[in-house]
Amino acid sequence: MFNKELYNYFFHLETPFYYYDMNLFHDSLNKLKSAADSYNYHIHYAIKANANTRILETIKGYGFGFDCVSGNEVKKAIETGINPDKIVFSGVGKSDAEINYAIDHSIFGFNCESLEEIEVINDWGFKKQKVVPISLRLNPNIDAVTHKYLTTGLPENKFGIPVHFLDEVITQTKTLSNIKLIGLHFHIGSQIREMNSYIELCERVNSIQDNLFKKHGIILEHVNLGGGLGINYENPESELIPDYAGFFETVYNHLKLKKNQKVHFELGRSVVGQMGSLISRVLYIKKGLNKEFMILDAGMTDLIRPALYGAQHKIQNISKPGVKIKNYKYDVVGPVCESSDSFDDNVMFPITKRGDLIAIRSSGAYGEAMVSQYTLRDKPKAIYSDELINKAG
Ligand code: LLP
């Protein structure tokens, strides 16, 4: 991905910055579209993974919808010019202002996480003389086999309505006249690499749907399985585009739909993860007592995933594109005054010196979106591959 030509473009740029490979992005979106279309599945890109205007506009161009988890995300989605009937709104703690905004813009639907929230939405619907479409986000008690901060479908997680309370919630919602129940929603976690978790989810959804029909005579229009599809952080090159087709095939083979039901997904990471890299410069190579530290100008404020989840991203010295031999070991750290400001330990590189450019791969998702200005650091800029080539040409 990083050749001499690209290095020459990068060399004159101020670091750190996010680099987005737009060719890879389009390739990935094309694959996603044809895989989803062949099953007639509906995709709502989870804006939280990366909310850059250009990225959202590109995704919108493929006809996908958006999944939002805050009022400002709903606002941003609407600002891209997307039809609001492609917007879903999730989140355990939607404020009254956020609910109002979304009702006023007639979004496709709210994914509701508690009976209290449904009642508040119903009250606002009543005041505005509107019937508001909602789905129930259920917590299905399924282990997504991922980092504990990235799992959302277990009883200890704050997300979703426990399936145990479903009958009670259905009975209550029947008494509310300013909401319309249109679907069931699930999201069991993120960075899920184990298809068995999705198989388990489909089987759980099947039995929930059967019970819903038997007990209440209800068949809902939509089933939304959320996001979560993981990417290959260890060896991105081997899987630059996630296996969307295989993922949808698994769902297709295990999810039993009722008549005319539509299936929705809210993919985030898998859509934007591999096309982004954080590009940084080596400030110093510092000798420790028994190790060497590679001190970068990028830190945890630019990419917090390693500090927050112990996430490991592939790190490359791109000043030496041809050099294959990696016989120097460094701890790769940032400049922020926190010991957790570290990207990885004991990473093998070719010999590296001050001024070399370093790429932290697979950073398109939850990279720039989670930037902070702790210690008053600047925010990294975004550079898009097509703009770079145009500028240079
Ligand atoms: N839908 C809902 C309701 C969600 O909460 C999420 C992500 C998604 C969809 C998209 O999931 P994805 O396809 O991206 O896995 N900051 C963490 C990831 C947090 C994910 C939160 N929810 C990270 O850097 O790994």
Side-chain angles (χ1 to χ4, degrees):
M1 186 184 260
F2 297 103
N3 53 23
K4 186 89 187 134
E5 195 189 5
L6 204 50
Y7 169 77
N8 288 339
Y9 287 131
F10 287 172
F11 186 75
H12 304 282
L13 299 174
E14 203 180 303
T15 48
F17 60 86
Y18 274 94
Y19 171 70
Y20 297 118
D21 182 333
M22 298 305 277
N23 283 338
L24 175 59
F25 191 27
H26 282 290
D27 288 349
S28 187
L29 288 169
N30 272 316
K31 282 253 164 62
L32 175 60
K33 183 155 177 54
S34 70
D37 283 355
S38 62
Y39 293 96
N40 204 13
Y41 288 164
H42 300 260
I43 307 296
H44 304 262
Y45 164 67
I47 289 189
K48 66 166 79 63
N50 189 322
N52 268 1
T53 307
R54 265 213 72 188
I55 286 172
L56 296 187
E57 279 170 357
T58 307
I59 292 173
K60 183 191 127 201
Y62 283 77
F64 300 129
F66 291 138
D67 162 47
C68 306
V69 288
S70 74
N72 283 344
E73 283 192 356
V74 177
K75 193 159 175 254
K76 178 96 188 194
I78 285 170
E79 280 165 7
T80 66
I82 199 170
N83 191 334
D85 75 4
K86 288 186 171 179
I87 298 176
V88 291
F89 185 13
S90 310
V92 280
K94 302 177 187 80
S95 72
D96 288 52
E98 291 175 317
I99 290 170
N100 263 282
Y101 183 83
I103 295 179
D104 289 345
H105 287 84
S106 304
I107 62 165
F108 174 80
F110 287 79
N111 294 332
C112 295
E113 308 223 9
S114 65
L115 187 54
E116 289 82 348
E117 179 194 335
I118 297 170
E119 286 167 350
V120 170
I121 293 175
N122 184 67
D123 286 349
W124 281 114
F126 179 73
K127 284 184 199 138
K128 293 170 189 286
Q129 286 305 295
K130 280 192 168 183
V131 176
V132 184
I134 68 156
S135 296
L136 301 179
R137 175 171 179 178
L138 299 177
N139 183 324
N141 187 12
I142 285 175
D143 188 355
V145 194
T146 184
H147 188 279
K148 76 173 169 127
Y149 287 177
L150 304 183
T151 186
T152 51
L154 290 173
E156 60 262 38
N157 302 132
K158 67 181 174 182
F159 300 100
I161 298 167
V163 175
H164 184 73
F165 300 139
L166 181 58
D167 287 331
E168 185 191 329
V169 172
I170 293 282
T171 309
Q172 289 294 320
T173 51
K174 281 180 182 162
T175 67
L176 306 173
S177 46
N178 289 88
I179 50 139
K180 180 178 183 224
L181 191 53
I182 60 163
L184 294 178
H185 173 244
F186 303 84
H187 173 73
I188 57 170
S190 198
Q191 183 53 14
I192 303 172
R193 298 280 284 163
E194 204 36 82
M195 278 304 121
N196 279 337
S197 300
Y198 283 110
I199 294 176
E200 230 187 293
L201 173 62
C202 291
E203 285 164 357
R204 193 66 49 88
V205 175
N206 297 341
S207 79
I208 292 170
Q209 291 231 79
D210 286 346
N211 278 334
L212 213 51
F213 185 66
K214 266 190 225 139
K215 283 198 189 145
H216 302 275
I218 291 181
I219 296 179
L220 295 168
E221 290 160 50
H222 305 275
V223 176
N224 181 336
L225 296 184
L229 182 64
I231 60 170
N232 191 334
Y233 281 98
E234 216 180 320
N235 187 4
E237 227 68 59
S238 71
E239 220 179 313
L240 284 173
I241 299 179
D243 182 12
Y244 302 117
F247 171 54
F248 293 143
E249 191 187 359
T250 304
V251 169
Y252 180 80
N253 288 336
H254 293 90
L255 185 66
K256 286 195 212 125
L257 293 175
K258 307 278 178 202
K259 204 163 173 238
N260 293 331
Q261 275 189 326
K262 297 191 176 72
V263 183
H264 297 243
F265 294 90
E266 299 164 350
L267 299 176
R269 185 191 317 267
S270 55
V271 182
V272 290
Q274 296 292 32
M275 61 85 169
S277 298
L278 177 61
I279 309 296
S280 172
R281 254 191 190 90
V282 177
L283 289 175
Y284 304 103
I285 298 291
K286 173 175 166 169
K287 271 199 192 326
L289 210 50
N290 44 28
K291 49 172 64 189
E292 282 196 83
F293 296 99
M294 182 190 293
I295 303 177
L296 304 183
D297 62 4
M300 64 195 289
T301 53
D302 306 295
L303 177 68
I304 201 173
R305 302 193 69 258
L308 193 56
Y309 315 113
Q312 281 179 310
H313 289 243
K314 185 170 177 186
I315 309 176
Q316 280 171 276
N317 183 335
I318 57 171
S319 300
K320 308 208 160 47
V323 182
K324 291 263 180 308
I325 301 165
K326 298 175 176 176
N327 48 0
Y328 286 82
K329 201 194 275 177
Y330 304 96
D331 280 14
V332 184
V333 301
V336 179
C337 306
E338 295 271 350
S339 292
S340 60
D341 183 29
S342 165
F343 290 111
D344 210 348
D345 296 338
N346 299 315
V347 188
M348 298 306 294
F349 285 90
I351 188 163
T352 298
K353 56 179 194 339
R354 173 175 163 81
D356 281 359
L357 287 179
I358 301 293
I360 306 181
R361 301 288 301 274
S362 315
S363 303
Y366 306 110
E368 208 185 344
M370 295 178 82
V371 160
S372 82
Q373 289 197 285
Y374 178 44
T375 68
L376 300 185
R377 282 171 56 79
D378 290 330
K379 289 184 181 179
K381 288 200 179 67
I383 308 275
Y384 303 88
S385 58
D386 47 1
E387 288 175 356
L388 201 63
I389 311 292
N390 290 343
K391 262 184 216 151

